[in-house]
Amino acid sequence: MKLYIAEKPSLGRAIAAALPKPHKSQKGYIELGNGDVVSWCIGHILEQADPEVYNDDFKKWRMDHLPIIPEQWQLTPKAQTRSQLTVLRKLVKSASEIIHAGDPDREGQLLVDEVIDFLKVSKTKKQQVKRLLISDLNLPAVKRSLNALKSNQDFMPLSISALARSRADWLYGINLTRAYTLQGQKAGFNGVLSVGRVQTPLLGLVVEKDRQIAHFIPHDYFDVYADIITPAGEKFIAKWQPSDACAPYMDDNKKIINKALAENVVGRIAAKPAKVALVTEQDKKQFAALPYNLSSLQIDAAKQFSMNAKLVLDVCQALYEKHKLITYPRSDSRYLPVEHHQQASSIIKILADSNNKYAEFAKGADCSIKSKTWNNSKVSAHHAIIPTEKSTNNIALNSFEINIYQLIVRQYLAQFYPPYCYQQTQVELDIAQGKFTVNAKVPQQLGWKVMFQSRKTQNNLSSNSEQDALSEQILPKLTQGETLHCEQGLIAEKVTQAPKAYNDATLLSAMTGIARFVQNTEIKKILKGTDGLGTEATRAGIIDLLFKRGFLQRIGKNITATDIGTSLINALPKMATTPDMTAQWEATLTDISERKSNYQNFITPLTATLKSMVAEAGQQSFDQLPKIPFKRKAKRKPRFKKAG
């Protein structure tokens, strides 16, 4: 008997649908027509044992117990899914072959592997376990995956990486949360000071941004522009570029802060000739952005629809599991396997025949175009999120599902459109010995941008985005050496702006681009353009957790730290509040999954670091935390029944 173990019931049912009928549904599994069985986990049905499982004394939180480092790690069944583990225990015992069908990522690999280990499957049977990788729950895709089983042994490094992450998070979270909570209690704070290797640095990023905003001092600065007219009467605007001689009158960002200087320039250039000193014209191409991974989708959804990360993930799960309209959503890849290009014509035809907003654009897509997204070397356990070979016709989607699905469709269709082509023109003018420049783009071919067009920015200096307004000017044909006329100079009086508070999009962007916040240059080099803070599957949950624990709050669209969140970061040592260490963890975990490192190289130095951090916690002052007195339990008043 072959036993297929899926990560969750929905995946189990999708697998069963592609296997021999008739089916017989049992409690916790499905019997197939050929005698094989499909069963499932319900997410993680095992969890790291609590400290008191190792030693009953650990029930009481005490500094002299720390750090708690298990010698023999133990897993315990989750109470709410214990019955499903019992089902799997019986099935595993009678199975002649096991097919691992966890989700195609680090956690999905560990989730089923740890069940196989916990149920003490023999070494021989374990080595024969096959791996089924499914990222699309539609019947044709599942059948293709069933015909492409791999050896589960090939994915052991992925499992070891997830195991190392799981144990490290337990060690870090349990020990430091207990250490700092105990210190907080000494200072009169009656609450749990939760510390985690991802949540705390993320909170630290928000606190630091709040601090920058609070300490920001605005000041005035002045930009100077010239109204230019050609002999043929064509007009455009150029911007003054101060010379090095103006340095004493500029701030650190090279903005002019002396109004008299700006007024002097305006007076000098009025009604003066403007000589064209330099003209540079370049034909340029811009290719469409790659299809989405989860983080890039969450960022765009936050920008366009103000959807938070958890909501986007929940919507994606519904589109994947319930509606089967998209591929596996918890992906960190923006690339597709080369062989996937063969399915493009089928997907595009379904999109063209659907009632989707982008049906017309699907009709204009060119399936012969192969963008750089098709790259096997960039695809590991999973690929980019794309539409499946299923139509939305006759499927009732809510507004959130429609918005997310349409984003995914648009990004996929963009791969089958030509590049956006434009002419980049840079002009340098000499007016009264001052340098003025203008940089303009002239579209030649919209290409994929035809699907991304928005309202044009008006060509004026009061535009929301002045730089866009200037770059979108239609420049006349200019020749180096010709003389134009400056009608007048203009001063734009401005005020420096404080850094913007985080919102859903920028906080996710900070997590995915964590390298720019890392202090260590070597770690920065490793992380640039690769790892981030947390994983695609965990980022939304981590942000949500910080809100639930009262460390973060929303003020409109802005995300800021609460007083308790700020006080916690101020009380913790810098090592616990910056991304350096956790970013290094992610880099090492990736190395483990790619066979470039191993479990011991990760855990051994971590335990040494923990010992020093626990010792440091004992010396830390938590006096600045708000004082929350211990609440005494009120004595119950005796109840008396009424007579009669």
Side-chain angles (χ1 to χ4, degrees):
M1 182 261 283
K2 286 183 183 177
L3 170 62
Y4 297 81
I5 305 177
E7 178 158 334
K8 54 182 81 72
S10 57
L11 179 57
R13 288 189 289 270
I15 294 168
L19 293 168
K21 294 177 174 60
H23 297 164
K24 191 173 181 182
S25 292
Q26 303 285 7
K27 189 174 181 180
Y29 65 98
I30 299 169
E31 285 184 17
L32 306 176
N34 62 356
D36 292 341
V37 171
V38 177
S39 188
W40 45 79
C41 301
I42 305 170
H44 278 281
I45 59 178
L46 297 168
E47 59 188 353
Q48 292 294 337
D50 289 330
E52 52 265 32
V53 172
Y54 297 101
N55 187 330
D56 194 57
D57 290 344
F58 293 159
K59 280 183 182 177
K60 184 171 177 62
W61 291 23
R62 290 174 48 179
M63 284 296 287
D64 58 0
H65 289 158
L66 306 178
I68 300 168
I69 302 173
E71 291 182 12
Q72 293 292 324
W73 286 88
Q74 296 182 42
L75 293 172
T76 56
K78 286 189 173 182
Q80 60 269 38
T81 53
R82 190 182 291 271
S83 60
Q84 187 60 24
L85 183 63
T86 303
V87 170
L88 286 169
R89 188 188 302 276
K90 291 177 183 176
L91 293 172
V92 163
K93 202 170 184 179
S94 54
S96 57
E97 185 180 349
I98 297 172
I99 293 91
H100 179 317
D103 281 350
D105 60 11
R106 192 165 75 186
E107 288 303 309
Q109 184 64 40
L110 175 64
L111 191 144
V112 177
D113 279 341
E114 65 187 7
V115 169
I116 292 171
D117 285 336
F118 187 80
L119 297 178
K120 295 182 169 52
V121 172
S122 69
K123 186 178 180 182
T124 303
K125 193 189 286 189
K126 201 184 293 184
Q127 288 176 337
Q128 294 171 349
V129 172
K130 295 287 194 297
R131 184 65 164 103
L132 173 59
L133 295 164
I134 293 176
S135 58
D136 178 345
L137 296 184
N138 288 292
L139 190 60
V142 174
K143 285 182 174 178
R144 283 194 296 269
S145 296
L146 283 164
N147 290 324
L149 295 178
K150 304 177 187 295
S151 168
N152 194 51
Q153 293 298 308
D154 295 344
F155 298 88
M156 279 301 107
L158 204 62
S159 194
I160 293 166
S161 170
L163 180 66
R165 194 275 316 151
S166 174
R167 290 178 178 176
D169 279 345
W170 188 96
L171 287 168
Y172 193 86
I174 292 288
N175 286 296
L176 296 187
T177 296
R178 288 191 175 203
Y180 293 122
T181 298
L182 288 167
Q183 289 302 104
Q185 286 175 358
K186 284 182 185 177
F189 179 81
N190 180 30
V192 175
L193 294 177
S194 172
V195 179
R197 60 104 182 180
V198 176
Q199 59 168 290
T200 306
L202 178 58
L203 177 59
L205 286 181
V206 179
V207 170
E208 177 57 29
K209 180 60 70 74
D210 291 349
R211 188 180 292 128
Q212 290 171 4
I213 294 168
H215 294 166
F216 178 78
I217 300 173
H219 66 264
D220 296 336
Y221 70 97
F222 309 91
D223 283 338
V224 177
Y225 298 92
D227 276 343
I228 307 297
I229 186 168
T230 70
E234 300 156 305
K235 295 184 176 183
F236 63 94
I237 297 169
K239 185 178 181 181
W240 177 48
Q241 304 299 321
S243 67
D244 292 342
C246 299
Y249 309 101
M250 293 191 289
D251 64 13
D252 292 340
N253 294 313
K254 298 189 175 179
K255 301 285 187 185
I256 293 295
I257 55 176
N258 185 296
K259 188 174 183 180
L261 173 59
E263 289 171 338
N264 178 266
V265 173
V266 167
R268 279 174 32 222
I269 66 173
K272 292 291 192 299
K275 184 176 180 181
V276 180
L278 184 68
V279 177
T280 305
E281 293 179 340
Q282 288 182 295
D283 289 328
K284 292 192 172 185
K285 291 181 180 180
Q286 183 182 346
F287 292 91
L290 297 170
Y292 289 119
N293 59 13
L294 179 58
S295 289
S296 58
L297 176 58
Q298 287 169 321
I299 289 168
D300 275 4
K303 288 177 181 175
Q304 295 189 42
F305 309 118
S306 298
M307 293 173 67
N308 66 53
K310 187 175 185 304
L311 176 57
V312 175
L313 178 56
D314 290 344
V315 169
C316 283
Q317 285 298 129
L319 289 170
Y320 171 61
E321 292 184 23
K322 180 182 176 184
H323 303 300
K324 301 180 183 178
L325 288 171
I326 65 170
T327 57
Y328 179 69
R330 294 172 184 252
S331 173
D332 61 353
S333 174
R334 300 190 70 172
Y335 292 86
L336 295 165
V338 173
E339 57 270 21
H340 201 288
H341 195 269
Q342 297 169 7
Q343 298 163 37
S345 57
S346 172
I347 294 171
I348 290 171
K349 184 178 186 310
I350 286 165
L351 293 172
D353 294 339
S354 74
N355 52 17
N356 187 276
K357 175 182 175 181
Y358 291 102
E360 285 304 309
F361 292 116
K363 291 172 185 173
D366 182 355
C367 292
S368 67
I369 294 175
K370 188 178 276 191
S371 74
K372 64 179 181 180
T373 190
W374 280 275
N375 186 335
N376 286 348
S377 67
K378 300 280 189 177
V379 177
S380 53
H382 30 69
H383 58 66
I385 307 168
I386 62 170
T388 62
E389 297 168 276
K390 186 174 181 180
S391 173
T392 53
N393 295 344
N394 304 317
I395 297 179
L397 300 178
N398 63 39
S399 60
F400 292 129
E401 290 167 341
I402 291 169
N403 287 339
I404 294 300
Y405 181 68
Q406 288 181 346
L407 282 181
I408 294 167
V409 166
R410 183 177 67 172
Q411 207 76 4
Y412 180 70
L413 289 176
Q415 309 310 308
F416 304 95
Y417 271 73
Y420 165 56
C421 299
Y422 61 94
Q423 186 180 71
Q424 180 89 48
T425 304
Q426 292 175 298
V427 178
E428 186 179 310
L429 303 173
D430 186 346
I431 311 173
Q433 298 182 322
K435 178 180 174 182
F436 288 75
T437 61
V438 59
N439 188 353
K441 290 180 181 178
V442 179
Q444 307 290 332
Q445 169 186 280
L446 279 178
W448 59 268
K449 275 207 170 188
V450 71
M451 290 184 282
F452 292 75
Q453 288 185 93
S454 58
R455 185 172 57 85
K456 292 273 185 185
T457 306
Q458 295 300 311
N459 184 15
N460 62 67
L461 296 183
S462 62
S463 160
N464 287 333
S465 178
E466 179 185 296
Q467 198 60 42
D468 286 347
L470 291 172
S471 67
E472 287 175 8
Q473 294 184 96
I474 303 300
L475 283 179
K477 192 71 177 174
L478 301 173
T479 306
Q480 188 171 329
E482 73 174 303
T483 301
L484 313 177
H485 180 69
C486 173
E487 290 188 303
Q488 63 176 341
L490 301 166
I491 294 178
E493 298 188 21
K494 302 176 182 178
V495 179
T496 54
Q497 299 297 306
K500 290 183 178 179
Y502 283 116
N503 56 37
D504 285 292
T506 55
L507 189 56
L508 274 167
S509 180
M511 293 180 80
T512 56
I514 201 65
R516 65 183 183 269
F517 302 101
V518 171
Q519 304 301 314
N520 185 294
T521 53
E522 288 304 310
I523 300 174
K524 186 186 281 285
K525 198 184 298 180
I526 294 168
L527 294 180
K528 206 164 186 178
T530 55
D531 303 282
L533 192 58
T535 66
E536 302 296 323
T538 62
R539 286 181 187 127
I542 291 161
I543 295 172
D544 194 50
L545 185 67
L546 287 170
F547 280 104
K548 285 178 178 175
R549 287 182 171 160
F551 296 159
L552 291 182
Q553 62 187 350
R554 289 184 192 276
I555 301 175
K557 290 184 179 180
N558 292 339
I559 295 173
T560 65
T562 62
D563 289 343
I564 291 177
T566 301
S567 297
L568 173 59
I569 292 301
N570 291 339
L572 292 173
K574 188 177 181 182
M575 185 181 188
T577 65
T578 59
D580 296 51
M581 182 174 65
T582 189
Q584 195 170 23
W585 279 28
E586 286 297 332
T588 308
L589 290 169
T590 299
D591 283 348
I592 293 171
S593 67
E594 295 175 355
R595 302 177 191 268
K596 296 174 186 174
S597 188
N598 60 50
Y599 174 87
Q600 284 304 334
N601 286 348
F602 178 66
I603 292 293
T604 302
L606 169 64
T607 54
T609 301
L610 270 176
K611 288 174 183 175
S612 65
M613 289 184 78
V614 168
E616 189 177 349
Q619 308 302 315
Q620 205 73 26
S621 170
F622 282 70
D623 289 339
Q624 60 189 303
L625 282 169
K627 303 295 184 285
I628 302 177
F630 285 90
K631 291 180 181 178
R632 297 184 181 277
K633 289 184 179 179
K635 291 183 179 179
R636 278 190 182 178
K637 292 181 180 179
R639 289 185 176 181
F640 300 95
K641 290 184 180 179
K642 287 185 179 179

